Amino acid sequence: MTADRLMVLDLLASVAAAAAWLGAGATAAARRPRAAAALFVAAVLASLTRIWSVVALAGAGWWFVQEKVTLALPLLLITSVAATALAGPRLVAAVRTRATAPTAAPVVVVPLLAAGYAAVAGPVHALLLGYPATWSTGLVITAVVAFAVLVTWRVIAAAPVPGLRVAVAAVTATALVGVGLAVVPPTETTTTGDAAPAGSTALMAQHRTAQDTGHGVGHDTGQGRPVDGFRGPDTPAPGGAIRRFELTARTATITLASGKRVEAWTFDGQVPGPAITAAQGDLIEVRLRNADVSYGVTLHWHGYDVPAGEDGVPGLTQDAVMPGQEFTYRFRADQAGTYWYHTHEVSDEGVRKGLYGTLVVAPRSAAAPEDVDLALPVHTFTGTVVFGDQDRPIVRQASPGTSVRLRLINTDNTPHRFTLSGVPYRLVAVDGDDLHEPGELARVGLRLPAGGRYDLAFTMPATGAVVLRADDRVVGVRLTPVDGAAGDGEDTSGWPELDLLGYGTPAPTAFTAAGPFDRRFTLVLDRGVSLAGGRPMYAHTVNGHAFPDIPTQLVADGDLIKLTVVNRGLETHPWHLHGHRVLVLSRDGRAPTGTPLWLDTFDVRPGEVWEVAFRAANPGLWMNHCHNLSHADMGMMLHLAYEGVTTPFHGAHSG
Ligand code: C2O
Ligand code: CU
């Protein structure tokens, strides 16, 4: 069974165990021996299922079972063994003799309910607190369970409790110690590096930084280099041109092709914003103004490894551009390929409402450009999927033999599945980076993570329509070789999903999974009640914390870094590091067998463990976050900082 299924099974078993133990206790108290005995058997079975699922889940990694092994299972085991020993034989006897009175005895009811309370602690911890269990949460939960048992014993079962005072005192002390540990955070934490050689230095440095500034990034103290000093050059590379753009953010009502009206936030009154194009080596200069987007705006160049001062993160690399203000970005178009830009101020709402556009850089190489080249940002406006600026299919005529490139850009918060019917094609680039020897594809689904890009290339066939669909239902593009030859091709919903980790062929890379790595970081993604920027909420957490309390990852220029991302939750997290592209080393322990994959956004699905690596060669302060931007807004983001880089900007939003 896969880890995500085991996680769900474990959750169901833990809820079932809790319900059955509590039900057994309640029916026993109500003098219904048959029902109580049946529920008792169900409780034992559910508890055994739990134990089995935790053991199986442990195979996927300690992160998946940590709080279960250290807390939930010991509580469940102790109480359910006691309940079985004390209540079990009496229930059996009661069913045999049909005597109802004995089942209501405290020696039956109290242990059954105690097992129930302990069983409840499991799903409560898993759902409300998540990873990791700490001494603090462990002690508080244990105290609450013990207290509930005492109340049940004394008040509900109305029986004398030997040593009640001592027991109450012990429970209270346990709870107080637990609360105390939460208020005074321990110096040791699980948030940072593995026990790698360099890990301990990184760990200490991170703590120092985190404590110095409250949210993990050094503020300008006169020492170190301020991040806004890392700016792009003001000349193109030799032979390149200067490409100037002006973008004005403003609110506008957009009318889609279907007539649907959208209250949008736009660049230049349009969605998507103006296309930014350049050739490799050009200097891109974009002057951003804000007319009336009251929260402010910035431009972040998603997937483009610009100098840190051009990265567009408010409160970190610049101040948000408020109405009436402006900011000019300048960087060299060094990377060819398909990228996009978007605001990074209240980015969940801002991007959703339309503050994004495409960035496409043509390679300098000799290769002839395609005859038809479409950049297709795919976005959902209040439930309607829009390709480019259309909520109707983009229909083109293209004669047989025409070369076509479709650049798919997922600007939404969740993945889209794309299918292309009517022609064999190749997935030639992912996240702007060309794949190595991509093979011909047909009848497959391509799952594109939020924020990611796929370039598809093919030659128009002699007959029939070529149809690009999103999510098997929305026709986005229809290319026809002859006028009128329409048709939307086949039903694509049964097509299997392409696994990128087995596509194309291997090629040498600048570094490999063998390292050696200078630093390692592990990010365990989960949900839990936490403070995100001071607001208590059911946050999306990283190692048990929400932004801005997730310790900053500190790196040094030149380091080779390994990042392990573990998804313990039930939602997909498209992980995105600014300023660097990462090489995929493995997913669930298996290395890619095809092309090297250099990504800037990778979907970590429930139960998955990804290992990626990157060279720290772009000094600055960078966001490292989930690109489901509502998750980021609810805590799932942190900073990656180069040693010695500081920020003069303030504001904990960064998102
Ligand atoms: Cu497109 Cu911070 O990201
Ligand atoms: Cu997420």
Side-chain angles (χ1 to χ4, degrees):
M1 234 191 274
T2 52
D4 61 325
R5 299 227 172 121
L6 285 170
M7 291 194 302
V8 172
L9 174 69
D10 180 62
L11 197 57
L12 293 177
S14 65
V15 171
W21 283 117
L22 292 174
T27 46
R31 299 172 194 244
R32 295 173 54 202
R34 283 168 163 279
L39 284 164
F40 167 76
V41 172
V44 171
L45 290 178
S47 302
L48 291 174
T49 307
R50 253 229 97 184
I51 293 168
W52 176 81
S53 66
V54 171
V55 170
L57 198 48
W62 171 246
W63 315 286
F64 293 102
V65 295
Q66 185 261 3
E67 95 292 2
K68 307 179 202 304
V69 171
T70 58
L71 178 68
L73 282 195
L75 279 178
L76 183 64
L77 270 177
I78 293 167
T79 52
S80 53
V81 166
T84 305
L86 294 169
R90 292 175 166 90
L91 282 178
V92 172
V95 171
R96 283 233 186 87
T97 60
R98 297 172 184 258
T100 55
T103 69
V107 68
V108 176
V109 173
V110 174
L112 290 175
L113 290 177
Y117 304 148
V120 167
V124 163
H125 196 291
L127 290 173
L128 289 189
L129 302 172
Y131 177 91
T134 60
W135 278 102
S136 168
T137 53
L139 291 176
V140 170
I141 284 183
T142 307
V144 169
V145 169
F147 184 72
V149 173
L150 290 177
V151 170
T152 305
W153 193 342
R154 185 72 198 88
V155 180
I156 301 178
V161 180
L164 182 61
R165 278 161 196 272
V166 178
V168 169
V171 166
T172 312
T174 306
L176 286 177
V177 171
V179 170
L181 287 175
V183 177
V184 186
T187 48
E188 182 272 337
T189 138
T190 52
T191 30
T192 50
D194 309 344
S200 51
T201 343
L203 190 74
M204 285 164 55
Q206 284 170 7
H207 281 276
R208 210 182 319 116
T209 325
Q211 281 160 10
D212 284 350
T213 66
H215 63 97
V217 164
H219 274 94
D220 202 354
T221 54
Q223 307 145 335
R225 267 189 86 181
V227 66
D228 57 340
F230 295 87
R231 302 299 304 265
D234 46 19
T235 51
I242 300 186
R243 308 270 303 158
R244 291 204 168 86
F245 300 85
E246 289 201 3
L247 264 53
T248 303
R250 66 166 60 99
T251 59
T253 305
I254 299 298
T255 308
L256 300 175
S258 66
K260 176 170 177 156
R261 291 163 75 83
V262 176
E263 296 303 324
W265 296 357
T266 72
F267 290 114
D268 287 9
Q270 61 181 80
V271 286
I276 294 183
T277 56
Q280 222 174 350
D282 289 353
L283 180 80
I284 296 179
E285 185 182 293
V286 185
R287 188 175 196 179
L288 168 69
R289 299 172 206 269
N290 183 357
D292 65 348
V293 175
S294 56
Y295 288 103
V297 291
T298 64
L299 292 178
H300 166 61
W301 311 97
H302 183 112
Y304 224 72
D305 301 341
V306 298
E310 313 286 352
D311 198 45
V313 179
L316 189 69
T317 68
Q318 67 172 102
D319 284 323
V321 178
M322 302 309 286
Q325 297 180 338
E326 62 171 71
F327 187 95
T328 300
Y329 299 88
R330 230 176 252 113
F331 57 91
R332 279 215 188 127
D334 294 323
Q335 297 159 260
T338 308
Y339 302 87
W340 61 301
Y341 64 85
H342 62 79
T343 186
H344 221 285
E345 176 63 50
V346 291
S347 58
D348 180 31
E349 186 173 9
V351 177
R352 189 157 22 87
K353 288 190 162 165
L355 288 172
Y356 66 90
T358 61
L359 166 63
V360 173
V361 176
R364 270 268 183 99
S365 71
E370 281 81 4
D371 305 320
V372 174
D373 187 329
L374 298 177
L376 299 165
V378 177
H379 198 80
T380 306
F381 286 101
T382 56
T384 303
V385 176
V386 174
F387 279 69
D389 59 355
Q390 302 259 349
D391 64 344
R392 290 279 168 78
I394 299 170
V395 179
R396 289 280 177 94
Q397 241 185 289
S399 40
T402 305
S403 61
V404 181
R405 180 180 283 244
L406 304 178
R407 302 170 184 268
L408 309 179
I409 306 171
N410 184 352
T411 62
D412 277 328
N413 273 343
T414 48
H416 282 293
R417 171 182 153 98
F418 292 97
T419 54
L420 190 69
S421 60
V423 70
Y425 64 98
R426 293 173 205 274
L427 171 55
V428 291
V430 174
D431 286 3
D433 198 59
D434 287 346
L435 301 189
H436 189 247
E437 298 182 342
E440 203 155 77
L441 295 172
R443 306 180 69 85
V444 291
L446 303 177
R447 177 177 149 127
L448 181 58
R453 284 91 56 215
Y454 286 162
D455 287 20
L456 316 185
F458 57 91
T459 305
M460 275 304 284
T463 54
V466 175
V467 178
L468 174 70
R469 273 190 172 74
D471 310 317
D472 299 308
R473 42 186 186 84
V474 185
V475 174
V477 177
R478 190 190 298 121
L479 299 173
T480 56
V482 285
D483 197 17
D488 278 342
E490 347 172 24
D491 174 5
T492 62
S493 54
W495 292 4
E497 186 183 310
L498 176 73
D499 184 359
L500 273 188
L501 270 65
Y503 183 58
T505 65
T509 46
F511 48 83
T512 68
F517 297 101
D518 300 297
R519 317 211 183 193
R520 300 160 192 257
F521 300 102
T522 299
L523 303 176
V524 182
L525 314 180
D526 204 349
R527 293 208 74 168
V529 176
S530 185
L531 290 176
R535 297 176 285 165
M537 65 162 78
Y538 191 40
H540 286 275
T541 58
V542 178
N543 300 332
H545 299 277
F547 185 84
D549 298 322
I550 305 166
T552 291
Q553 297 173 332
L554 195 70
V555 304
D557 199 358
D559 279 352
L560 187 62
I561 315 283
K562 179 168 165 180
L563 195 61
T564 303
V565 187
V566 180
N567 186 351
R568 251 189 62 118
L570 300 173
E571 288 162 87
T572 291
H573 299 297
W575 203 259
H576 172 55
L577 169 64
H578 286 204
H580 307 75
R581 56 181 56 187
V582 302
L583 177 69
V584 176
L585 304 179
S586 73
R587 182 190 60 211
D588 296 340
R590 284 187 304 278
T593 56
T595 173
L597 283 171
W598 291 93
L599 308 177
D600 55 63
T601 318
F602 51 96
D603 254 354
V604 186
R605 302 195 215 184
E608 284 185 347
V609 178
W610 285 67
E611 290 180 315
V612 301
F614 64 95
R615 176 72 68 186
N618 193 5
L621 303 175
W622 303 99
M623 296 303 298
N624 194 7
H625 66 92
C626 178
H627 218 283
N628 181 324
L629 297 173
S630 82
H631 295 180
D633 186 47
M634 292 164 76
M636 200 169 261
M637 54 181 168
L638 63 145
H639 293 142
L640 180 121
Y642 281 62
E643 282 171 356
V645 181
T646 59
T647 179
F649 304 104
H650 292 270
H653 43 253
S654 292

